[in-house]
Amino acid sequence: MKQIILAAAALASISSAAIAAESTQPVQAASDEVAAPAEIAAGAMLYGSDGRRIGRVYRVDANGNPQIILNSKMVTVPASTVSEADGKLSSSLSKKDVLAR
């Protein structure tokens, strides 16, 4: 009976170490990909979290935040919500979220 318990404990420690090593590798790779900041320029189209167009960047403020004109209002989108993939600027906000700012 002791041998079964010791074998189970050894197996549990080995598999938890293997799972921990396996699960940290994709996280590291994902964080390396996200590290590059988006290059925001006036005239670029900004897309929302749903993939739909929010609007064209009118200008970029001194803090690097894109500003767009929606419903005749100048709206600032936080640069921290903007990412770039394949030359396409996307925000983690939807158009509705941006309008609510």
Side-chain angles (χ1 to χ4, degrees):
M1 184 67 169
K2 270 187 172 180
Q3 291 175 346
I4 294 174
I5 295 173
L6 289 175
L11 183 59
S13 67
I14 291 171
S15 60
S16 66
I19 290 171
E22 185 178 303
S23 65
T24 57
Q25 290 171 351
V27 172
Q28 181 65 35
S31 65
D32 289 345
E33 291 174 14
V34 177
E39 290 189 31
I40 305 167
M45 183 59 68
L46 181 64
Y47 294 87
S49 59
D50 55 2
R52 300 176 83 184
R53 289 187 289 184
I54 294 177
R56 198 163 294 282
V57 176
Y58 179 70
R59 66 180 178 197
V60 181
D61 71 9
N63 297 322
N65 299 314
Q67 294 181 320
I68 58 177
I69 298 174
L70 288 176
N71 298 343
S72 302
K73 293 186 332 184
M74 179 80 71
V75 181
T76 301
V77 180
S80 61
T81 68
V82 178
S83 61
E84 182 179 8
D86 298 327
K88 181 178 173 180
L89 285 180
S90 298
S91 174
S92 59
L93 304 173
S94 67
K95 188 172 186 175
K96 183 178 178 180
D97 295 333
V98 171
L99 284 170
R101 297 187 132 273

